Amino acid sequence: MAERPSAREALSLVTDTFEEHTPPARSCAPDGPLSWEGYGASRARAADRTGEAESVVYGTARAGGRPCVVLAFEFGFLGGSLGERAGDRLEAAYRLARERRTPLVSLVATGGSRMQEGMVALTQLQRVARESVLLREAGVPHITVLRDPATGGGWATVGAGADVILALPGAQVGFAGSRVRPAGADPSAYTAEGQLAAGHVDAVVRPGELRGTVALWVTALTSPAAQAPPPSALSAAPLPASGWDAVRQARDPGRPRAEAYLDAYFTDRLPLVGDRCGGTDPGTLCGVGLRADGGAVAYVAQCGTATRPAGYRTAARVIRLADRLGLPVLTLIDTPGAANDAEAERAGAGAAIADAFTAVAAARVPVTTLLIGEGGSGGALALAAPDNTWATRDSYFSVIAPELAAAILKRPPEEAPRTAEQLRLRPQDLLDLALIRGII
């Protein structure tokens, strides 16, 4: 296996400059808090081999020309393990980022807590958790890069606790390290790619692209736009003459979709993927984008499919992150409705939709919504801004699909067009009913 990059090499991958800081010295027994025989000698050998005094290096840096605080694990120092003095450095790095109100960038490569310090080492995770809470309360973003390996408590606190989680290709990522996994466990579940597929990682980034990606994230999370104006319409469709015309226009496969609107709205898009509960929804695009004027806007966009519970949970996660960092939010509505199959119900469709409604309702930042296609019932409304929703001419919003409404009313299928008219679902109807601010 190729030699793992050192902490200093990892730092050089993502930062333009780096100035190391050191925490106050801590007195310690020669063989640590447990008097573990030979521990002091092991530490001395690790220091000689790596040139580092501990398994964590931290300091101030610049990424993409912007200031940040960065910490990096040195895996060559006792497997990048967390001990009391490593905890001092982690705590100091979080505190430094909070005091300077600059993003924290963590480069994680660790095997977990240090056995030679026993429970003293394990309680460092509580210190990290507390610092993570304080960082969030201060509205300071945390971007992490998972190197190889990112396991144990280091993954479960520093890594998984970050706002944006990036990973290097092929990196081992998981709570269980390679020597303690169940026999026969699927090895792909413990990789960066497997964690991405399960919704626990936002992107897998090649080393050569890491500097630019981290720089974009640091820029985006510290450059909030004042507001998110509604996007311009991308279709020349006329206003629908009837309710059924509105339905047909919204269902037209050639109509502009979310990808086209996002590409026209942003110069750069940075995806946020997954609900952190084991699920992803490819029909819901989420992330943060940079506009031509340099301002950043968080986005949630439905892509015309039935939205899965994971999509609503991911959307809620992104809206709450945007609210904490002061980023305005743009939502694009285009769904026939929430997924209602048995799998969706088992995955908690109702709770996930409720969570999305709550995230939008609680947002203190401006939220702008554009209805770009189908607006199917509560599954669409969950992501709509109550007082700032707009519509394109090739869209509709309805309490229920006309075909389903006809079925519930015990009407024959051919009555769906008449039912669509009664539902008053056209953009101009929505405007007359004061349900939208305007037609784009």
Side-chain angles (χ1 to χ4, degrees):
M1 184 173 66
E3 185 176 347
R4 292 182 173 95
S6 68
R8 307 282 173 169
E9 290 168 335
L11 286 166
S12 69
L13 279 178
V14 300
T15 61
D16 305 324
T17 62
F18 174 68
E19 180 181 346
E20 186 175 2
H21 289 226
T22 54
R26 173 191 287 271
S27 60
C28 186
D31 280 329
L34 305 186
S35 298
W36 185 289
E37 184 178 355
Y39 176 45
S42 295
R43 281 183 50 85
R45 288 193 298 270
D48 289 342
R49 184 169 58 252
T50 63
E52 306 294 353
E54 247 303 335
S55 62
V56 173
V57 177
Y58 79 99
T60 52
R62 298 189 80 84
R66 291 178 177 259
C68 61
V69 171
V70 63
L71 68 88
F73 284 76
E74 174 53 69
F75 189 79
F77 193 104
L78 301 180
S81 55
L82 278 70
E84 196 169 27
R85 284 189 275 193
D88 291 342
R89 291 165 177 251
L90 292 172
E91 184 178 67
Y94 277 79
R95 183 179 296 127
L96 185 62
R98 187 173 76 249
E99 291 172 349
R100 299 200 177 194
R101 301 195 65 80
T102 58
L104 174 65
V105 178
S106 58
L107 311 176
V108 179
T110 173
S113 300
R114 194 169 297 170
M115 290 184 298
Q116 296 93 328
E117 294 189 22
M119 283 300 297
V120 173
L122 193 63
T123 58
Q124 303 312 304
L125 307 184
Q126 293 173 319
R127 294 176 73 187
V128 173
R130 178 58 181 162
E131 291 301 321
S132 180
V133 168
L134 295 174
L135 197 69
R136 287 171 177 262
E137 289 178 346
V140 176
H142 178 189
I143 304 157
T144 198
V145 177
L146 306 177
R147 297 150 57 206
D148 183 41
T151 60
W155 157 236
T157 52
V158 181
D163 299 312
V164 178
I165 303 177
L166 311 176
L168 292 173
Q172 297 179 69
V173 180
F175 187 62
S178 58
R179 297 184 182 181
V180 296
R181 295 170 192 162
D186 179 6
S188 66
Y190 303 89
T191 64
E193 291 77 7
Q195 297 285 4
L196 174 64
H200 302 303
V201 165
D202 291 306
V204 174
V205 184
R206 291 192 292 268
E209 299 171 354
L210 196 58
R211 179 187 295 271
T213 301
V214 170
L216 272 176
W217 270 116
V218 169
T219 299
L221 297 183
T222 56
S223 307
Q227 59 181 341
S232 301
L234 299 182
S235 170
L239 281 173
S242 68
W244 193 242
D245 285 339
V247 172
R248 288 191 299 178
Q249 285 188 176
R251 293 176 180 174
D252 184 345
R255 170 181 55 77
R257 303 283 167 160
E259 283 269 16
Y261 276 94
L262 294 174
D263 287 344
Y265 196 79
F266 295 114
T267 56
D268 290 285
R269 278 197 285 135
L270 299 162
L272 291 167
V273 176
D275 63 2
R276 300 298 187 259
C277 300
T280 62
D281 179 4
T284 306
L285 302 178
C286 298
V288 177
L290 284 166
R291 305 206 68 206
D293 63 2
V297 174
Y299 63 85
V300 173
Q302 294 170 314
C303 298
T305 58
T307 305
R308 312 295 306 177
Y312 292 112
R313 282 192 288 263
T314 305
R317 173 172 76 90
V318 172
I319 292 168
R320 290 190 176 107
L321 173 63
D323 192 54
R324 181 157 50 79
L325 300 182
L327 300 172
V329 177
L330 171 69
T331 66
L332 300 180
I333 304 299
D334 184 12
T335 179
N340 58 7
D341 53 53
E343 180 183 351
E345 295 296 346
R346 283 192 291 266
I353 295 168
D355 196 32
F357 268 114
T358 301
V360 173
R364 296 160 295 180
V365 293
V367 180
T368 302
T369 298
L370 179 62
L371 175 66
I372 64 172
E374 291 193 83
S377 193
L381 190 66
L383 297 176
D387 301 314
N388 196 23
T389 291
W390 305 72
T392 63
R393 290 173 293 181
D394 46 359
S395 66
Y396 79 85
F397 222 141
S398 178
V399 65
I400 192 171
E403 298 92 336
L404 298 178
I408 290 172
L409 295 171
K410 299 182 179 180
R411 295 176 178 178
E414 55 268 21
E415 286 289 300
R418 182 169 75 90
T419 306
E421 195 67 24
Q422 291 178 299
L423 288 168
R424 297 198 66 189
L425 48 73
R426 300 176 304 166
Q428 56 266 49
D429 296 324
L430 301 175
L431 188 58
D432 289 344
L433 292 167
L435 298 173
I436 60 172
R437 287 188 61 183
I439 300 170
I440 301 297

